Amino acid sequence: MKQYHVAIIGATGMVGQRFISLLENHPWFTITALAASAHSAGKTYREAVGKRWIMDTPIPKRIETMVVKDAVADAREIADSVDFVFCAVDMNKDEIRALEETYAKYECPVMSNNSANRFTPDVPMMIPEINDDHAQIIEAQKKRLGTKRGFIAVKSNCSLQSYVPALHPLRHFGITKVLACTYQAISGAGKNFETWPEMVDNVIPYIGGEEEKSEKEPLKIWGTVTPNAIELASSPSITTQCIRVPVLDGHLAAVFVSFEKKPTMEEIKTAWANFAGYPQEHCLPSAPQQFLTYFEEENRPQTKLDRNLYNGMGVSVGRLREDSQYDYKFVCLSHNTIRGAAGGAILMAETLASKGYLD
């Protein structure tokens, strides 16, 4: 596979840090540029991030001395120097849309971790194991933007990465309605316990905008590609409740589901065990060997024990049982800043690279 030079836009934030740690020894992608706000521009990465580095591993030596560029003012220089960018910035949605489109129009593909372009009709929102075929809409997007290779692709909201993968292999049984209650780690807000002491010994039953995303985004992931847009799926009906819990990493979901044709428990477990997508079939570097892992133990999955399954890229499922109101209920778990954020975006980039969209 070709070697790609990449930039991290928003490199000093939590997701930017995760990108740096995950890409340190990546076989295809090499970080050659870092960008952040004007406040960080001109400093070495070590100076810019200071005491805010919160990954378990140290800053890679090669990255420490790289000079951070201004994500906005230096956009042309950055775009010209790399093959594509990963974008995870803390800006308002209008600013993010403008920034990502600027890079795309500079003929630099954007792998976005932001929500601003998730419902732009011709921007694919990808969980690579589920809807890699949505990449084909990129050609329509490039026509709209007037570009030859520049485009935007986004990953979905982090909380979806736990329950949507578990539901996907069951769709052929005719899912009619879903209730998902997510219990979300504080790193999803870009914080840890030092920076958010109010979360210690506390639960907050509200995360701004999260329930709307959790109910709508699956319908785009399961949507249909038309000539100029991705048409949202009309079903299933999804309702969610999203709660912040005192956990550092890992989003857990309690899921209730009903079907047109109710499968047996063994049929569900077999569907989970046998499911593999494009990343597994093509042995992509970041792909978990087993996408969905079912635990028979009644007290699994557990956040602390199972969030790092397959280097944080696997999805854990457990406690499948019949329900009195829905057909079945189960629990599932994913690592929110790896599978749900930086790792998911890297896997999306690997998928698009293997399909030739980054050449």
Side-chain angles (χ1 to χ4, degrees):
M1 174 60 68
K2 170 185 172 181
Q3 297 297 304
Y4 296 87
H5 291 170
V6 305
I8 311 299
I9 311 299
T12 58
M14 180 177 287
V15 176
Q17 293 178 31
R18 184 67 76 180
F19 273 121
I20 288 170
S21 65
L22 292 177
L23 290 172
E24 182 176 6
N25 298 303
H26 196 279
W28 299 359
F29 306 150
T30 301
I31 300 170
T32 56
L34 303 172
S37 67
H39 175 76
S40 298
K43 300 175 183 177
T44 67
Y45 186 74
R46 165 59 72 185
E47 293 169 338
V49 78
K51 296 180 180 179
R52 291 182 294 123
W53 179 263
I54 58 173
M55 296 295 106
D56 293 333
T57 55
I59 301 172
K61 291 295 183 184
R62 189 179 66 84
I63 300 298
E64 280 189 323
T65 56
M66 288 181 67
V67 176
V68 178
K69 299 181 184 298
D70 186 319
V72 177
D74 298 328
R76 168 67 84 174
E77 177 187 347
I78 296 166
D80 289 346
S81 70
V82 298
D83 295 302
F84 67 92
V85 301
F86 290 108
C87 188
V89 293
D90 183 12
M91 303 165 69
N92 69 51
K93 288 191 176 183
D94 289 339
E95 292 173 332
I96 292 171
R97 275 190 285 267
L99 182 67
E100 292 182 344
E101 192 164 303
T102 293
Y103 278 90
K105 287 184 174 179
Y106 286 156
E107 300 293 359
C108 183
V110 177
M111 306 294 111
S112 177
N113 192 76
N114 307 300
S115 64
N117 272 304
R118 287 183 189 154
F119 280 94
T120 302
D122 57 12
V123 170
M125 179 169 63
M126 297 174 64
I127 298 177
E129 284 89 350
I130 294 175
N131 64 336
D132 67 283
D133 60 310
H134 283 198
Q136 60 189 297
I137 198 64
I138 288 170
E139 296 306 321
Q141 184 191 152
K142 289 193 290 188
K143 287 180 182 178
R144 174 177 63 84
L145 295 175
T147 59
K148 293 182 179 179
R149 68 180 299 271
F151 65 89
I152 302 162
V154 302
K155 54 152 289 300
S156 70
N157 189 42
C158 54
S159 65
L160 271 67
Q161 311 280 334
S162 55
Y163 62 91
V164 170
L167 289 169
H168 183 71
L170 310 181
R171 292 187 72 220
H172 69 279
F173 297 116
I175 298 174
T176 57
K177 61 178 180 176
V178 175
L179 164 63
C181 297
T182 60
Y183 303 88
Q184 301 184 204
I186 63 174
S187 58
K191 298 179 181 180
N192 59 21
F193 289 111
E194 290 183 5
T195 59
W196 202 1
E198 295 85 357
M199 277 306 305
V200 176
D201 191 31
N202 195 20
V203 169
I204 298 177
Y206 173 73
I207 306 173
E210 199 75 5
E211 288 160 4
E212 181 182 13
K213 296 174 189 175
S214 299
E215 293 170 359
K216 289 181 61 179
E217 289 187 17
L219 301 179
K220 183 170 183 179
I221 292 167
W222 289 324
T224 303
V225 179
T226 65
N228 296 306
I230 296 170
E231 185 177 304
L232 303 187
S234 58
S235 64
S237 172
I238 303 172
T239 186
T240 65
Q241 189 154 256
C242 301
I243 299 170
R244 190 73 72 189
V245 295
V247 168
L248 181 59
D249 293 312
H251 287 354
L252 186 140
V255 182
F256 302 77
V257 59
S258 290
F259 300 92
E260 292 176 3
K261 180 183 177 183
K262 183 179 178 180
T264 66
M265 289 180 62
E266 284 308 310
E267 285 176 323
I268 291 175
K269 291 179 183 180
T270 298
W272 285 335
N274 292 341
F275 182 73
Y278 184 96
Q280 287 74 36
E281 293 162 359
H282 292 79
C283 300
L284 299 183
S286 299
Q289 181 180 353
Q290 181 69 32
F291 183 37
L292 301 168
T293 298
Y294 185 81
F295 289 92
E296 292 288 352
E297 298 93 330
E298 65 181 8
N299 62 348
R300 302 282 288 278
Q302 291 182 27
T303 303
K304 194 170 184 178
L305 291 179
D306 302 312
R307 62 191 170 199
N308 290 314
L309 186 69
Y310 291 108
N311 298 314
M313 290 297 287
V315 176
S316 306
V317 192
R319 299 206 69 210
L320 175 66
R321 58 220 190 274
E322 293 195 14
D323 183 66
S324 61
Q325 305 297 314
Y326 289 71
D327 287 335
Y328 289 104
K329 53 191 171 187
F330 57 87
V331 174
C332 40
L333 170 73
S334 64
H335 195 301
N336 58 297
T337 66
I338 301 181
R339 165 57 78 163
I346 291 169
L347 186 60
M348 178 174 69
E350 292 170 0
T351 300
L352 294 172
S354 73
K355 289 175 175 282
Y357 287 96
L358 300 181
D359 294 340

